[in-house]
Amino acid sequence: ALLADVSLLKPFLDGRSSQNLGLSPSGTEMSAVGDRTACNLEWPSATVKVAEIKELRTRIIRALRSLGVQTTAYQPIHAAFASGLVPIVSGTRALEALEAYAQVMCAGRILVVEVTSAIADVPDLFGRLEGRAFIPHPAGLIDVVRAAQENEGPFLVVLDGANRGATESYLLPLIRVVRNRAASISLFHPQAIDGSDPYRSDARVKWPPNLLLAATVIEGPTTLPVAPGVWNDSILAVADADGEFTGPDDLGDRSELDGASGLLDSAPARDQLGWISDELPQLHGLAKRMAGGLAALTTDPTAIQNAVARSIVVPHVAAIPGEDERAAEVSRLEKTFGKDLGDWVNFARRSIA
Protein backbone atom coordinates (compact mmCIF):
# COMPACT_ATOMS: atom_id res chain seq x y z
CA ALA A 1 0.00 0.00 0.00
CA LEU A 2 2.85 2.36 0.81
CA LEU A 3 4.51 1.72 -2.57
CA ALA A 4 1.22 2.33 -4.35
CA ASP A 5 0.82 5.65 -2.53
CA VAL A 6 4.35 6.67 -3.49
CA SER A 7 3.60 5.96 -7.15
CA LEU A 8 0.46 8.09 -7.02
CA LEU A 9 2.21 10.98 -5.25
CA LYS A 10 5.36 10.85 -7.36
CA PRO A 11 4.51 13.91 -9.50
CA PHE A 12 4.08 16.01 -6.34
CA LEU A 13 7.12 14.65 -4.50
CA ASP A 14 9.71 14.93 -7.27
CA GLY A 15 12.13 17.63 -6.16
CA ARG A 16 14.63 17.11 -8.95
CA SER A 17 13.22 19.70 -11.35
CA SER A 18 15.96 21.72 -12.98
CA GLN A 19 13.84 24.19 -15.00
CA ASN A 20 15.50 24.48 -18.42
CA LEU A 21 18.52 22.32 -17.56
CA GLY A 22 18.62 18.52 -17.64
CA LEU A 23 20.77 15.45 -17.56
CA SER A 24 21.73 13.38 -20.55
CA PRO A 25 21.39 9.55 -20.45
CA SER A 26 25.03 9.40 -19.37
CA GLY A 27 24.39 11.78 -16.48
CA THR A 28 26.33 14.75 -17.89
CA GLU A 29 24.80 18.20 -17.67
CA MET A 30 23.24 19.66 -20.80
CA SER A 31 23.03 23.28 -21.81
CA ALA A 32 19.82 25.17 -22.54
CA VAL A 33 17.15 23.36 -24.53
CA GLY A 34 18.10 24.94 -27.82
CA ASP A 35 21.64 23.50 -27.66
CA ARG A 36 20.66 19.92 -26.84
CA THR A 37 21.25 16.99 -29.14
CA ALA A 38 19.89 13.46 -28.97
CA CYS A 39 22.24 10.85 -27.56
CA ASN A 40 23.79 8.48 -30.11
CA LEU A 41 24.76 5.34 -28.20
CA GLU A 42 27.58 3.14 -29.50
CA TRP A 43 26.58 -0.50 -29.84
CA PRO A 44 28.76 -3.58 -30.37
CA SER A 45 28.55 -5.50 -33.61
CA ALA A 46 29.22 -9.09 -34.61
CA THR A 47 30.64 -10.73 -37.69
CA VAL A 48 29.26 -14.19 -36.84
CA LYS A 49 25.64 -14.93 -37.68
CA VAL A 50 23.76 -17.68 -35.85
CA ALA A 51 21.48 -19.53 -38.26
CA GLU A 52 21.12 -23.04 -36.80
CA ILE A 53 19.75 -24.33 -33.52
CA LYS A 54 22.89 -26.45 -33.07
CA GLU A 55 25.12 -23.39 -33.26
CA LEU A 56 22.81 -21.45 -30.94
CA ARG A 57 22.92 -24.26 -28.39
CA THR A 58 26.72 -24.55 -28.49
CA ARG A 59 27.31 -20.83 -28.11
CA ILE A 60 24.73 -20.13 -25.45
CA ILE A 61 25.69 -23.08 -23.25
CA ARG A 62 29.25 -21.73 -23.21
CA ALA A 63 28.00 -18.24 -22.30
CA LEU A 64 25.71 -19.59 -19.57
CA ARG A 65 28.48 -21.66 -18.03
CA SER A 66 30.84 -18.68 -18.03
CA LEU A 67 28.28 -16.70 -15.98
CA GLY A 68 27.37 -19.54 -13.63
CA VAL A 69 23.86 -20.21 -14.98
CA GLN A 70 22.23 -23.61 -15.37
CA THR A 71 22.63 -24.49 -19.02
CA THR A 72 18.96 -25.42 -19.56
CA ALA A 73 17.84 -21.89 -18.61
CA TYR A 74 17.98 -20.67 -22.21
CA GLN A 75 15.29 -23.07 -23.46
CA PRO A 76 12.12 -21.36 -22.12
CA ILE A 77 13.69 -17.94 -22.78
CA HIS A 78 14.39 -18.70 -26.44
CA ALA A 79 11.05 -20.51 -26.89
CA ALA A 80 9.26 -17.42 -25.54
CA PHE A 81 11.01 -15.06 -27.94
CA ALA A 82 10.44 -17.45 -30.85
CA SER A 83 6.71 -17.66 -30.13
CA GLY A 84 6.21 -13.91 -29.62
CA LEU A 85 5.93 -14.05 -25.83
CA VAL A 86 7.75 -12.06 -23.15
CA PRO A 87 10.02 -14.12 -20.88
CA ILE A 88 9.84 -13.08 -17.24
CA VAL A 89 12.81 -14.65 -15.51
CA SER A 90 13.22 -15.47 -11.82
CA GLY A 91 16.00 -17.19 -9.93
CA THR A 92 19.45 -16.32 -8.63
CA ARG A 93 20.94 -15.92 -12.12
CA ALA A 94 18.00 -14.31 -13.92
CA LEU A 95 19.85 -11.29 -15.28
CA GLU A 96 22.95 -13.32 -16.15
CA ALA A 97 20.83 -15.72 -18.22
CA LEU A 98 19.51 -12.83 -20.30
CA GLU A 99 22.99 -11.34 -20.64
CA ALA A 100 24.21 -14.68 -22.03
CA TYR A 101 21.31 -14.76 -24.48
CA ALA A 102 22.09 -11.23 -25.66
CA GLN A 103 25.76 -12.15 -26.12
CA VAL A 104 24.81 -14.92 -28.55
CA MET A 105 21.70 -13.58 -30.29
CA CYS A 106 22.12 -9.78 -30.09
CA ALA A 107 25.93 -9.30 -30.27
CA GLY A 108 25.80 -8.11 -26.66
CA ARG A 109 23.35 -5.29 -27.44
CA ILE A 110 21.43 -5.31 -24.17
CA LEU A 111 19.94 -2.47 -22.14
CA VAL A 112 19.05 -3.09 -18.50
CA VAL A 113 16.45 -0.73 -17.04
CA GLU A 114 16.28 -0.84 -13.26
CA VAL A 115 12.62 -0.70 -12.24
CA THR A 116 11.72 1.23 -9.08
CA SER A 117 8.50 2.08 -7.30
CA ALA A 118 8.66 5.49 -9.02
CA ILE A 119 7.73 3.85 -12.35
CA ALA A 120 4.01 4.60 -12.45
CA ASP A 121 3.24 4.16 -16.17
CA VAL A 122 4.86 3.35 -19.51
CA PRO A 123 6.15 6.90 -20.28
CA ASP A 124 8.12 6.83 -17.01
CA LEU A 125 10.36 4.18 -18.58
CA PHE A 126 11.33 6.61 -21.34
CA GLY A 127 11.70 9.93 -19.50
CA ARG A 128 9.77 12.94 -18.22
CA LEU A 129 8.94 16.54 -19.05
CA GLU A 130 10.65 19.34 -17.16
CA GLY A 131 9.44 22.73 -18.22
CA ARG A 132 9.42 22.51 -22.02
CA ALA A 133 12.18 19.91 -22.24
CA PHE A 134 12.01 16.12 -22.45
CA ILE A 135 14.53 14.56 -20.06
CA PRO A 136 15.28 10.94 -21.08
CA HIS A 137 15.35 8.20 -18.49
CA PRO A 138 18.98 7.67 -17.37
CA ALA A 139 18.98 4.18 -18.89
CA GLY A 140 18.40 5.68 -22.34
CA LEU A 141 15.49 3.49 -23.46
CA ILE A 142 14.30 6.12 -25.94
CA ASP A 143 17.75 6.08 -27.57
CA VAL A 144 17.69 2.28 -27.82
CA VAL A 145 14.33 2.44 -29.58
CA ARG A 146 15.85 4.89 -32.06
CA ALA A 147 18.89 2.66 -32.57
CA ALA A 148 16.73 -0.42 -33.18
CA GLN A 149 14.66 1.48 -35.73
CA GLU A 150 17.82 2.34 -37.66
CA ASN A 151 19.44 -1.12 -37.54
CA GLU A 152 18.37 -4.59 -38.63
CA GLY A 153 20.08 -6.60 -35.90
CA PRO A 154 18.24 -7.57 -32.71
CA PHE A 155 18.50 -5.64 -29.43
CA LEU A 156 17.36 -6.76 -25.99
CA VAL A 157 15.74 -4.60 -23.30
CA VAL A 158 15.50 -6.08 -19.80
CA LEU A 159 13.28 -4.57 -17.12
CA ASP A 160 15.24 -5.66 -14.07
CA GLY A 161 13.19 -6.16 -10.93
CA ALA A 162 9.90 -5.61 -12.74
CA ASN A 163 7.91 -6.39 -9.59
CA ARG A 164 9.38 -3.39 -7.74
CA GLY A 165 6.76 -1.35 -9.62
CA ALA A 166 3.04 -1.75 -10.21
CA THR A 167 3.04 -4.07 -13.24
CA GLU A 168 -0.64 -3.46 -14.01
CA SER A 169 0.07 0.23 -14.71
CA TYR A 170 3.33 0.07 -16.68
CA LEU A 171 4.31 -3.49 -17.72
CA LEU A 172 0.93 -4.77 -18.87
CA PRO A 173 0.32 -1.78 -21.21
CA LEU A 174 3.89 -2.04 -22.52
CA ILE A 175 3.51 -5.75 -23.34
CA ARG A 176 0.32 -4.96 -25.25
CA VAL A 177 2.21 -2.41 -27.35
CA VAL A 178 5.05 -4.85 -27.97
CA ARG A 179 2.58 -7.50 -29.13
CA ASN A 180 0.64 -5.06 -31.35
CA ARG A 181 3.13 -3.63 -33.84
CA ALA A 182 0.58 -1.10 -35.08
CA ALA A 183 0.19 0.44 -31.62
CA SER A 184 2.27 3.33 -30.34
CA ILE A 185 3.25 4.76 -26.97
CA SER A 186 2.29 8.36 -26.24
CA LEU A 187 5.13 9.97 -24.27
CA PHE A 188 3.98 13.60 -24.36
CA HIS A 189 2.04 16.07 -26.49
CA PRO A 190 4.34 17.46 -29.23
CA GLN A 191 3.29 21.02 -28.36
CA ALA A 192 4.30 20.53 -24.72
CA ILE A 193 8.03 20.87 -25.46
CA ASP A 194 10.26 23.35 -27.24
CA GLY A 195 10.24 23.11 -31.02
CA SER A 196 14.02 22.64 -31.12
CA ASP A 197 14.08 19.80 -28.58
CA PRO A 198 15.83 16.80 -30.25
CA TYR A 199 13.24 14.42 -28.80
CA ARG A 200 10.20 16.31 -30.10
CA SER A 201 9.73 13.75 -32.88
CA ASP A 202 9.41 11.02 -30.25
CA ALA A 203 6.09 12.25 -28.86
CA ARG A 204 4.67 8.91 -30.01
CA VAL A 205 6.95 5.90 -30.47
CA LYS A 206 6.41 2.41 -31.84
CA TRP A 207 8.23 -0.61 -30.47
CA PRO A 208 10.51 -1.93 -33.26
CA PRO A 209 10.11 -5.61 -34.22
CA ASN A 210 13.85 -6.26 -33.71
CA LEU A 211 13.73 -4.96 -30.12
CA LEU A 212 13.20 -7.92 -27.77
CA LEU A 213 11.64 -7.36 -24.36
CA ALA A 214 12.27 -9.41 -21.22
CA ALA A 215 11.98 -8.85 -17.48
CA THR A 216 13.32 -10.24 -14.26
CA VAL A 217 11.44 -10.58 -10.97
CA ILE A 218 13.02 -10.55 -7.54
CA GLU A 219 12.15 -11.49 -3.98
CA GLY A 220 12.10 -9.04 -1.11
CA PRO A 221 10.03 -6.62 0.97
CA THR A 222 9.87 -4.00 -1.81
CA THR A 223 8.32 -6.32 -4.40
CA LEU A 224 4.71 -6.24 -5.59
CA PRO A 225 2.54 -9.00 -7.09
CA VAL A 226 2.74 -9.38 -10.85
CA ALA A 227 -0.62 -8.47 -12.41
CA PRO A 228 -2.40 -11.68 -13.53
CA GLY A 229 -3.07 -10.15 -16.96
CA VAL A 230 0.67 -10.07 -17.65
CA TRP A 231 0.64 -13.85 -18.07
CA ASN A 232 -1.66 -13.66 -21.08
CA ASP A 233 1.37 -12.82 -23.24
CA SER A 234 4.27 -13.85 -21.00
CA ILE A 235 5.89 -16.95 -19.57
CA LEU A 236 7.84 -17.62 -16.40
CA ALA A 237 11.41 -18.91 -16.73
CA VAL A 238 13.72 -19.92 -13.90
CA ALA A 239 17.47 -19.34 -14.09
CA ASP A 240 19.28 -20.78 -11.10
CA ALA A 241 22.99 -21.03 -10.40
CA ASP A 242 25.17 -23.77 -11.84
CA GLY A 243 26.34 -25.82 -8.87
CA GLU A 244 29.76 -26.38 -10.50
CA PHE A 245 30.44 -22.70 -11.16
CA THR A 246 33.89 -21.62 -9.95
CA GLY A 247 34.06 -18.05 -11.29
CA PRO A 248 33.42 -15.91 -14.38
CA ASP A 249 34.99 -17.07 -17.63
CA ASP A 250 35.25 -15.86 -21.21
CA LEU A 251 31.81 -15.50 -22.78
CA GLY A 252 33.13 -16.21 -26.23
CA ASP A 253 32.95 -13.91 -29.22
CA ARG A 254 29.82 -11.90 -29.88
CA SER A 255 27.38 -13.32 -32.40
CA GLU A 256 23.91 -12.37 -33.54
CA LEU A 257 20.82 -13.83 -35.10
CA ASP A 258 20.82 -14.38 -38.84
CA GLY A 259 17.63 -12.60 -39.80
CA ALA A 260 16.94 -15.09 -42.59
CA SER A 261 17.23 -18.13 -40.32
CA GLY A 262 13.74 -18.12 -38.79
CA LEU A 263 15.15 -18.94 -35.34
CA LEU A 264 12.79 -16.37 -33.81
CA ASP A 265 9.81 -17.26 -35.95
CA SER A 266 8.13 -20.43 -34.69
CA ALA A 267 4.59 -21.60 -35.44
CA PRO A 268 2.18 -22.93 -32.80
CA ALA A 269 2.42 -26.67 -32.18
CA ARG A 270 0.23 -28.80 -34.45
CA ASP A 271 -0.47 -31.24 -31.65
CA GLN A 272 -3.73 -30.32 -29.94
CA LEU A 273 -2.08 -30.82 -26.51
CA GLY A 274 -5.00 -32.65 -24.94
CA TRP A 275 -3.18 -32.75 -21.60
CA ILE A 276 -3.73 -29.01 -21.18
CA SER A 277 -6.91 -28.46 -23.20
CA ASP A 278 -8.70 -30.90 -20.89
CA GLU A 279 -7.40 -29.40 -17.64
CA LEU A 280 -6.94 -25.71 -18.45
CA PRO A 281 -8.73 -24.88 -21.72
CA GLN A 282 -8.17 -21.14 -21.21
CA LEU A 283 -4.41 -21.73 -21.52
CA HIS A 284 -4.62 -23.95 -24.59
CA GLY A 285 -3.68 -21.30 -27.16
CA LEU A 286 -0.80 -19.98 -25.07
CA ALA A 287 0.50 -23.51 -24.49
CA LYS A 288 0.43 -24.30 -28.21
CA ARG A 289 2.51 -21.20 -28.94
CA MET A 290 5.05 -22.07 -26.27
CA ALA A 291 5.18 -25.71 -27.35
CA GLY A 292 5.85 -24.56 -30.91
CA GLY A 293 8.88 -22.60 -29.73
CA LEU A 294 10.13 -25.53 -27.63
CA ALA A 295 9.77 -28.00 -30.51
CA ALA A 296 12.90 -26.57 -32.16
CA LEU A 297 14.90 -27.32 -29.00
CA THR A 298 13.59 -30.76 -28.06
CA THR A 299 11.39 -33.48 -29.53
CA ASP A 300 10.74 -35.14 -26.15
CA PRO A 301 7.00 -34.70 -25.45
CA THR A 302 7.53 -35.16 -21.71
CA ALA A 303 10.17 -32.41 -21.66
CA ILE A 304 7.81 -30.10 -23.57
CA GLN A 305 4.95 -30.83 -21.17
CA ASN A 306 7.15 -30.15 -18.13
CA ALA A 307 8.43 -26.90 -19.66
CA VAL A 308 4.90 -25.72 -20.43
CA ALA A 309 3.84 -26.62 -16.90
CA ARG A 310 6.63 -24.55 -15.32
CA SER A 311 6.36 -21.63 -17.76
CA ILE A 312 2.59 -21.28 -18.17
CA VAL A 313 0.65 -23.41 -15.69
CA VAL A 314 2.72 -22.40 -12.63
CA PRO A 315 2.25 -18.60 -12.92
CA HIS A 316 -1.44 -19.12 -13.67
CA VAL A 317 -1.93 -21.16 -10.49
CA ALA A 318 0.43 -19.02 -8.40
CA ALA A 319 -1.68 -15.95 -9.23
CA ILE A 320 -4.80 -17.44 -7.63
CA PRO A 321 -5.29 -15.22 -4.53
CA GLY A 322 -7.25 -17.59 -2.28
CA GLU A 323 -5.07 -20.13 -0.46
CA ASP A 324 -7.77 -22.81 -0.33
CA GLU A 325 -8.71 -22.32 -3.96
CA ARG A 326 -5.05 -22.41 -5.00
CA ALA A 327 -4.37 -25.58 -3.02
CA ALA A 328 -7.40 -27.27 -4.58
CA GLU A 329 -6.20 -26.33 -8.07
CA VAL A 330 -2.72 -27.67 -7.36
CA SER A 331 -4.21 -30.93 -6.08
CA ARG A 332 -6.35 -31.27 -9.21
CA LEU A 333 -3.52 -30.53 -11.64
CA GLU A 334 -0.89 -32.70 -9.95
CA LYS A 335 -2.56 -35.72 -11.55
CA THR A 336 -1.52 -34.37 -14.96
CA PHE A 337 1.64 -32.37 -14.27
CA GLY A 338 3.19 -34.37 -11.44
CA LYS A 339 3.79 -33.99 -7.72
CA ASP A 340 6.43 -31.28 -8.23
CA LEU A 341 3.77 -28.80 -9.32
CA GLY A 342 3.04 -27.70 -5.75
CA ASP A 343 6.71 -26.99 -5.05
CA TRP A 344 7.02 -25.04 -8.31
CA VAL A 345 3.97 -22.94 -7.43
CA ASN A 346 5.26 -22.18 -3.94
CA PHE A 347 8.64 -21.16 -5.35
CA ALA A 348 7.00 -18.91 -7.96
CA ARG A 349 4.81 -17.18 -5.40
CA ARG A 350 7.90 -15.85 -3.62
CA SER A 351 8.57 -13.52 -6.54
CA ILE A 352 5.35 -13.07 -8.52
CA ALA A 353 2.53 -13.22 -5.96
Side-chain angles (χ1 to χ4, degrees), residues 266-285:
S266 70
R270 294 183 179 180
D271 182 4
Q272 292 303 306
L273 307 183
W275 43 268
I276 197 166
S277 62
D278 294 340
E279 303 291 350
L280 293 166
Q282 70 273 31
L283 300 180
H284 186 230

Side-chain angles (χ1 to χ4, degrees), residues 4 6 9 11 38 43-44 49 52 54 82 99 117 123 132 165 174 199 201 203 228 246 257 259 267-268 279 304 332:
V6 169
L9 293 173
W43 292 96
K49 299 284 188 178
E52 302 289 340
K54 183 178 180 180
E99 289 172 344
S117 60
R132 289 184 56 80
L174 179 61
Y199 292 98
S201 61
T246 58
L257 171 74
E279 303 291 350
I304 291 177
R332 181 179 75 87

Side-chain angles (χ1 to χ4, degrees), residues 319-343:
I320 297 174
E323 186 173 350
D324 292 342
E325 183 183 358
R326 186 172 61 254
E329 188 71 346
V330 167
S331 179
R332 181 179 75 87
L333 295 175
E334 279 181 340
K335 300 173 184 177
T336 300
F337 299 107
K339 293 295 183 180
D340 289 334
L341 182 66
D343 292 336

